[in-house]
Amino acid sequence: MFRTDDLDEAHRRARLLCGRMRPLEPEMWLCAQANTVAEARVLGALMPTGLFEPSYDWAADTWYLGAALPGEDRELAAALPLTVDAYAAPGPVEGAFLRALGAGAATMLWRGAWPYVPEIPSHSPYGNSTNQRVELDVNGEHPEGRHTVYVHLQYDDEVGAAHLAAAIGGAVLGPVQVGR
């Protein structure tokens, strides 16, 4: 939908898309990888109820709440990288979250319902938010930009994707990705 190296611009365009949806949930989902002690501390303070888990050792039964990260920097450094995911009310948390990120991957996800317009055939007239959302992926590995805005639709809806992309000055970047 939209890809750039300018994180502020990617976030701005994602929020423009959110403005076109009817919000269905009071919270958005945030997920990030903390690679340094400083990143973990800032993300822990920002998301005190967020769940921090080892990023590459999913079998490990070690996790922390943001408010209960190890107090000693050496102990915290030994647990890195950590992946945090949390739910938060949209708004001020978004800018703070983006400023807290380092080079690790991150995602912001807003759920809603696309409006009923002929250009979005997969809208849901019943308020079903299944697969209707805006996603901002940060620090991805793409040659044409590190930050990507995606839309999720109820089903394979190329017409709806093209309509939404045009609304933010973007374009469909590739074929439909089922299950993304």
Side-chain angles (χ1 to χ4, degrees):
M1 170 109 348
F2 183 77
R3 188 170 287 141
T4 181
D5 282 327
D6 184 338
L7 182 55
D8 290 333
E9 185 61 16
H11 180 243
R12 186 182 77 76
R13 300 223 188 179
R15 294 301 288 151
L16 285 172
L17 283 168
C18 290
R20 299 181 68 84
M21 284 192 309
R22 180 171 46 88
L24 294 178
E25 296 179 5
E27 296 182 311
M28 63 182 296
W29 180 68
L30 304 165
C31 181
Q33 185 178 72
N35 293 312
T36 68
V37 168
E39 289 168 9
R41 296 265 183 243
V42 172
L43 289 168
L46 182 62
M47 296 179 281
T49 60
L51 183 64
F52 286 72
E53 298 180 277
S55 296
Y56 301 109
D57 189 1
W58 302 114
D61 192 22
T62 305
W63 57 271
Y64 311 94
L65 291 178
L69 288 170
E72 301 239 350
D73 285 353
R74 190 172 4 193
E75 184 182 354
L76 181 55
L80 295 174
L82 292 170
T83 297
V84 57
D85 73 76
Y87 288 89
V93 71
E94 296 174 38
F97 178 76
L98 294 173
R99 286 188 300 277
L101 299 176
T107 300
M108 301 172 80
L109 193 75
W110 300 264
R111 296 182 192 278
W114 296 114
Y116 172 69
V117 292
E119 292 86 1
I120 307 176
S122 67
H123 82 93
S124 173
Y126 307 108
N128 179 356
S129 66
T130 303
N131 297 326
Q132 295 188 49
R133 52 193 184 261
V134 173
E135 177 181 340
L136 171 57
D137 282 353
V138 178
N139 293 328
E141 295 182 19
H142 301 284
E144 47 304 321
R146 297 174 308 157
H147 316 300
T148 305
V149 177
Y150 294 96
V151 295
H152 297 257
L153 300 158
Q154 190 138 329
Y155 59 80
D156 179 354
D157 183 356
E158 291 180 21
V159 172
H163 172 77
L164 292 167
I168 64 162
V172 174
L173 298 175
V176 171
Q177 297 180 27
V178 177
R180 169 118 177 85

